[in-house]
Amino acid sequence: MQENKIIFNSKFLKVFSKDELKDIMDNATSISVDCIVIATENNYFELSADVDDALDIYCDEHNSSSARKLSKDEFMKLYKSSPLMGTVKLSLNE
């Protein structure tokens, strides 16, 4: 059986440790080279590496419909404190 290796932008490892990134990717709703999306019961997170030199972390709160940019520490606190939403993971071959 062939193992699918996920390729991602190196900016993610400039912000997160390998263990943190593995945890994030294991719980992600969607992963692409430049973007990781995580849906929790309280928040929708987008980690975006496609613009400028920095990794951008955005949070959209479900209850207040407010979107804002977060620091790594703010993201980790919110991410760890909110239960993940149930998702179905699909692997699509391009």
Side-chain angles (χ1 to χ4, degrees):
M1 183 174 189
Q2 181 180 349
E3 183 180 324
N4 292 333
K5 189 170 186 174
I6 297 172
I7 298 171
F8 54 88
N9 192 307
S10 63
K11 291 178 194 174
F12 290 109
L13 283 173
K14 290 180 182 178
V15 175
F16 299 103
S17 71
K18 287 182 181 180
D19 288 339
E20 289 170 332
L21 190 56
K22 181 183 180 327
D23 178 64
I24 290 167
M25 293 176 81
D26 285 348
N27 293 305
T29 306
S30 174
I31 302 170
S32 71
V33 172
D34 293 320
C35 186
I36 298 174
V37 174
I38 303 167
T40 68
E41 289 184 8
N42 301 327
N43 301 295
Y44 172 86
F45 299 103
E46 180 182 326
L47 289 65
S48 179
D50 64 344
V51 180
D52 299 323
D53 292 333
L55 178 71
D56 294 321
I57 303 171
Y58 299 99
C59 174
D60 187 5
E61 296 178 40
H62 295 309
N63 296 336
S64 66
S65 299
S66 66
R68 61 189 170 120
K69 193 171 177 179
L70 302 176
S71 69
K72 174 192 172 182
D73 292 336
E74 291 171 318
F75 162 72
M76 291 302 288
K77 183 177 178 182
L78 289 172
Y79 166 63
K80 292 293 187 181
S81 67
S82 181
L84 297 170
M85 293 183 90
T87 59
V88 175
K89 294 188 179 189
L90 301 174
S91 176
L92 303 175
N93 294 326
E94 294 182 35

